Amino acid sequence: MSEKIRQQEEDYLKSTYHQLQKTQKTLSEWLNETKQSGQTMMSKITEDIKLNVDGISDKLDSFSQIEMKNREIDQYNIKIRNGEVTLDKVNRLLENPYFGKIKVDFLDEEEPESFYIGMHGFSDANNDNLIYDWRSPIAELFYNNEIGPSSYNVRGNTIETSIEERRQFVIEKDKLITYFDTMVSIQDDVLLDALAKDDTKKMRDITVTIQKEQNVIIRDTSTPYMLVNGVAGSGKTSAIMQRIAYLLYNMQDEITSEDVLILSPNKAFIQYVSDVLPSLGEKNPRNMTLLQFAQSYMRRHIESEEHYFKRISKESMSKETEYLRDGQFIHYIKDNVYREFDSSKLFDDITLRDKTIISKEHIKQLFDETPNNSPHVDRVQGVKQRLLSSWNQRLIQQSRTKKIHDQVTSLTEEQQEKYFGHLIQDDSEKSLTRYAEQLLRKKYKKVTQQINRYRWLNQEILFNELFKGFSGVTYQRQMAPITLDEAIAILTITHYYVERLTMPNMRFVLVDEVQDYTPAQLQFLLLLFPKSDFTMVGDENQAIFNTNTPFKAIEALFTSDGKELTTYQLLTSYRSTGAITKAFNELSLSKNATIVPIRPQGEEPVLIQYNELSDINQVVTDILTELNGEKLTIIVKTEDEKALLEHWFDELLDVQVTSINLAKGLEFDNVLLWGASSEHYNDVRDQKILYTAFSRAMNRLYIAYNKNISPLLSYLL
Ligand SMILES: Nc1ncnc2c1ncn2[C@@H]1O[C@H](COP(=O)(O)OP(=O)(O)OP(=O)(O)O)[C@@H](O)[C@H]1O
């Protein structure tokens, strides 16, 4: 029986592979020919256009011809691009044509049908679907991992079916290495095999082994907001990357990667996930940290990532920072847009080389003339328009005066080149006025700039008065580059009181490590992207920064305006061995939910006692000997410790040192947690740091401590 099945599957693979090869050949030839004929077309077009411009006196006719040719070029480029994208998919399928199959009874009179699932859909010349894309509706049945009654969703409609067979394949090109049927194998060997692979510097896609509970997260578009609370290593990041690929495929008529924004925890993480979507044949969307995002809207410098992490890793924060992080402050800013400020201090002179060009009194008068029942931002915009237009008038008037004409005519040739890019050719009155205007605009560029950049509006006053109005205390600025907390408040104030920020209209915003966002940051994102769907993933056990927001509060914040939010919990962990998972499960704060490991038990964590810092040499040498050529990552609690340890291992390629802040979201084969002593780790936050650090390890975990081990780890003794 099984020989017969094998033969059938091999035949299917052979014929599919053959069709793929045929398509690859036809497509490559077509692309080559089209590119060649395209080159001939291009040079002919260039030739034609040149002839037209040289020879035809009626330029309009010539322009419309250029326009037509441009359209031809666009059409040609689209054709080529589509051909290349398809060829790319076929090439990917030639490496691994498909990985799953389901035999589905649609509960009608018809025979059950088989569907093969792969990275992309593929059909032969008769339009018969040989492979279905993993994101197609029917593929949901494969990921449901059920035999017997099962259902799938097509555009909101549920289709009931019965699954007769579910098969997983391991295929390399046209070779069927092996296959497993869900009925006979309880443990998922394909999954275990995928999980046993060593870490790479880059995250891999999980298409072949997406689990049922992850599949729900990838496919659910029923509510605008989704919040996933998943234990360490439960595939939250993997699921959001797969989800983006799913959305781009299923909504290809509505969205492109430009409509998606990923907010990542740190810069290293952005690098770490950057291969996943391209390997699935999709373009990477914009992926940034909140710091980078805020900076892209500000001229002033915001603190560096390193500084930010240092600051949010402190035990405590100032009262002022607490106010800035309060989501209510963002609300307060939004709700006070009709407020009057002390207008005697609100405006500054516009100056040039210490000379007042436009006085603050004049600006104040313009402001007072705007209707005080308009939102502040509209009043400021009104003033700006009037400033620009009166300044413009002033320049035009001045450009007509004899004095400035004289100035123009007395310019040296060098100055003429500098101001006009050529020498003055005509000294008629009209022409001199034109040159004069040009000269004045250059000379007074800084004034126009000041008007456009709101240098005349003292935004510090707006900030200080709003802060005091909300908190009752005066704000004291601490240091030179502004903090991210300040930047979020400043940007919100800018948006409602100065100039509305123009945000790209994101259809989907995906936030990783959402537990590390402050309520103000989340509120800010909601204000900027009111129409976007949010997918937020995180783990309360990894809330190691003083910025964190509890999941209940995130839920409340996102549902406060009546919109729906779906929550999911993930309790299965895929990253670490059973022994390591058990070790960080002990540190979990949610005692009523046990983390389930998928990987085999592996080696128990190893405890190492040391006497002084210099012992690290011997400790690491011993570990490296045991690891026999594998790499080791040392994780420490702070940036300062990282700096201290790093120089010991400058030369050692097999060892890297990282702080827990920067290791967030990443994973490593073997981890040594250095400094797990009682004076270092003793409170709830430390417990979360230990949980986060342990859960970075895939295979081996070493824990080194000086004198006494942290009481939080006594369960390991
Ligand atoms: N279904 C799956 N098939 C194969 N590998 C998986 C699957 N789910 C997760 N993994 C692997 O498990 C590891 C952890 O996944 P991921 O980083 O997405 O988890 P996470 O929940 O974001 O982790 P953390 O919050 O601890 O940073 C990765 O190596 C990922 O490839």
Side-chain angles (χ1 to χ4, degrees), residues 98-127:
Y98 46 83
F99 51 82
K101 174 190 177 187
I102 28 164
K103 199 165 179 187
V104 185
D105 183 345
F106 286 96
L107 308 178
D108 50 15
E109 302 303 303
E110 310 280 324
E111 280 288 294
E113 260 183 81
S114 290
F115 298 87
Y116 286 81
I117 315 292
M119 298 297 274
H120 300 288
F122 176 68
S123 44
D124 60 15
N126 304 325
N127 253 344

Side-chain angles (χ1 to χ4, degrees), residues 191 194-195 203-211 214 230-239 269 272 512-513 537-539 542 570 573-576 663-667 691-692 695-696 698:
L191 174 64
L195 297 177
M203 179 170 237
R204 279 188 286 251
D205 73 276
I206 58 164
T207 314
V208 175
T209 50
I210 292 169
Q211 298 300 291
Q214 296 170 329
V231 300
S234 54
K236 299 179 293 294
T237 305
S238 303
F269 181 91
Y272 172 60
D512 207 334
E513 305 273 350
V537 304
D539 178 1
Q542 296 184 58
L570 296 176
S573 189
Y574 299 90
R575 177 182 295 128
S576 317
K664 279 205 109 182
L666 308 184
E667 62 189 21
Y691 170 100
T692 312
S695 60
R696 299 308 95 201
M698 296 169 73

Side-chain angles (χ1 to χ4, degrees), residues 48 57 173-174 187 216 270 291 309 314 375 439 452 549 605 711:
D48 285 356
S57 54
K173 299 189 185 218
D174 57 348
Q187 82 169 13
V216 178
I270 296 173
L291 244 165
F309 282 133
K314 293 209 170 111
L439 178 68
N452 279 323
T549 306

Side-chain angles (χ1 to χ4, degrees), residues 574-591:
Y574 299 90
R575 177 182 295 128
S576 317
T577 59
I580 297 173
T581 307
K582 185 162 173 283
F584 67 77
N585 182 43
E586 290 288 337
L587 293 159
S588 163
L589 294 168
S590 29
K591 286 294 169 223

Side-chain angles (χ1 to χ4, degrees), residues 220-227 243 247 251 254-255 259-262 505-511 525-526 529-536 558 563-564:
D220 185 358
T221 50
S222 61
T223 58
Y225 303 141
M226 183 195 288
L227 178 62
R243 178 170 165 82
L247 295 169
M251 297 174 76
E254 294 165 58
I255 60 165
D259 301 298
V260 179
L261 169 71
I262 310 178
N505 235 340
M506 290 298 163
R507 179 74 175 75
F508 290 95
V509 178
L510 299 103
V511 186
L525 291 175
L526 265 178
F529 302 112
K531 294 197 186 122
S532 308
D533 284 9
F534 278 76
T535 304
M536 296 166 281
F558 274 79
K563 281 203 197 166
E564 265 185 78

Side-chain angles (χ1 to χ4, degrees), residues 600-617:
Q601 183 66 5
E603 305 280 345
E604 289 301 315
V606 177
L607 296 178
I608 305 162
Q609 193 179 26
Y610 65 88
N611 293 320
E612 49 199 352
L613 184 60
S614 55
D615 291 351
I616 196 164
N617 251 338

Side-chain angles (χ1 to χ4, degrees), residues 227 514-517 522 526 536 540 548-560 565:
L227 178 62
V514 68
Q515 75 282 347
D516 294 336
Y517 284 64
L522 294 169
L526 265 178
M536 296 166 281
E540 287 193 298
N548 71 80
T549 306
F551 273 53
K552 278 276 162 259
I554 300 177
E555 247 178 78
L557 206 144
F558 274 79
T559 49
S560 62
L565 174 139

